[in-house]
Amino acid sequence: MGLYFHTPQLGWAVGSGGTMLKTVDGGKKWKKVVSGTTASLSGIFFLDEKQGWAVGANGTIRRSQDGGNTWHSQLVDTQVALYSLSFVSPSEGWVVGGNGTILYTKDGGSHWVDQASKTNAALYGVQFLTARHGTAVGAVGTVLMTDDGGITWTPQETQGAVTLFDVYFSDTSTGWAVGNAGAIFQTTNGGHQWIDRTLPCTRTCTKLIDLLRVRFTDPQTGWIVGERGMVYRTTDSGFTWTEQGAVAKVSLFGLSFPDGTQGWASGEKGTIVHLTIGR
């Protein structure tokens, strides 16, 4: 379901039943890793080649300090599903999940504290560019922003009740949120205002697909993956998105670009797809 590549050679993927995989050869071969849990895992992130975290169902947070070869549980005071995580240093990170849950650590996850989101909406995506500036998105058009490391989270207007599944900032001012029924929102002022750039429904379109992940490799070039293996790409900072076609027959929940030339997407049924920028 989720994956993360630290370099074009080194990557990890997670999925249902506590499944965890690692590659050291750019995805040619994947080795199964003992995650130590049977909980469904939805997100994984590595800060460097050694330090990583994975999150999932039933309040699951696992940590690795040896490149994902061994994993240890971290204690959290919640049973909600956790969907997304963002770390800015080996000590400082955030995790978001169901029922408006935002968890924060300043000691690498040895202790997690609840931050007040003031919402009950499920939060599916979070990104911190610095230790102070972060954004979380979720159900019913929820966009939350913080400028003080999550001490206070402020809701932002998106003019829509769509579920937002992911958020990504290419720099401190320019960011994107994507969600169901082709929803795309863009901000150019650090998340204070969001412009609706939802994909148009063309003649052949019967229902706009859900967009599940968005990533930019530079300020101009971005990718979105979603339902039914669909991929969209922009080369003009997201003003227009070009359908790249389906790269798989399943929905894609993971997207990672270790550099500007290639990336990987992951989805249902253990699907992992290699994307090259020249496609």
Side-chain angles (χ1 to χ4, degrees), residues 20 31 37 39 43 52 61 64 102 111 122 125 138 146 153 161 213 246 274:
M20 199 171 276
K31 188 182 93 176
T37 181
I61 305 180
S64 177
I102 302 177
H111 302 87
T146 182
W153 288 89
R213 284 287 173 274
H274 185 201

Side-chain angles (χ1 to χ4, degrees), residues 214-229:
V214 56
R215 290 291 180 270
F216 275 71
T217 51
D218 61 51
Q220 284 76 44
T221 315
W223 299 72
I224 293 172
V225 297
E227 263 188 314
R228 302 199 292 274

Side-chain angles (χ1 to χ4, degrees), residues 120-143:
N120 293 323
L123 300 174
Y124 294 113
V126 63
Q127 186 200 23
F128 273 75
L129 279 187
T130 70
R132 296 187 70 76
H133 184 79
T135 311
V137 300
V140 290
T142 302
V143 177

Side-chain angles (χ1 to χ4, degrees), residues 115-242:
Q115 292 190 329
S117 67
K118 303 190 194 71
T119 179
N120 293 323
L123 300 174
Y124 294 113
V126 63
Q127 186 200 23
F128 273 75
L129 279 187
T130 70
R132 296 187 70 76
H133 184 79
T135 311
V137 300
V140 290
T142 302
V143 177
L144 305 173
M145 215 176 76
T146 182
D147 287 314
D148 58 14
I151 296 164
T152 51
W153 288 89
T154 311
Q156 308 300 310
E157 289 286 322
T158 54
Q159 288 90 39
V162 296
T163 294
L164 297 170
F165 293 115
D166 197 25
V167 61
Y168 190 82
F169 277 77
S170 53
D171 56 47
T172 49
S173 55
T174 311
W176 300 87
V178 298
N180 67 344
I184 303 176
F185 290 90
Q186 178 194 17
T187 180
T188 53
N189 61 3
H192 294 282
Q193 286 153 317
W194 292 83
I195 305 148
D196 191 345
R197 299 209 181 277
T198 296
L199 291 176
C201 206
T202 55
R203 278 179 313 175
T204 54
C205 158
T206 51
K207 171 188 174 289
L208 279 166
I209 65 162
D210 293 351
L211 305 176
L212 302 172
R213 284 287 173 274
V214 56
R215 290 291 180 270
F216 275 71
T217 51
D218 61 51
Q220 284 76 44
T221 315
W223 299 72
I224 293 172
V225 297
E227 263 188 314
R228 302 199 292 274
M230 287 304 291
V231 177
Y232 297 85
R233 184 181 174 209
T234 182
T235 52
D236 61 7
S237 302
F239 287 97
T240 57
W241 291 88
T242 308

Side-chain angles (χ1 to χ4, degrees), residues 7 22 32 35 44 60 67 100 103 113 136 190 213 215 236 244 253 265 268 273 276:
T7 69
K22 178 181 180 179
K32 199 161 186 184
S35 67
I44 186 164
T60 300
L103 302 171
V113 296
R213 284 287 173 274
R215 290 291 180 270
D236 61 7
Q244 305 284 297
F253 296 102
E268 297 165 325
V273 183
T276 48

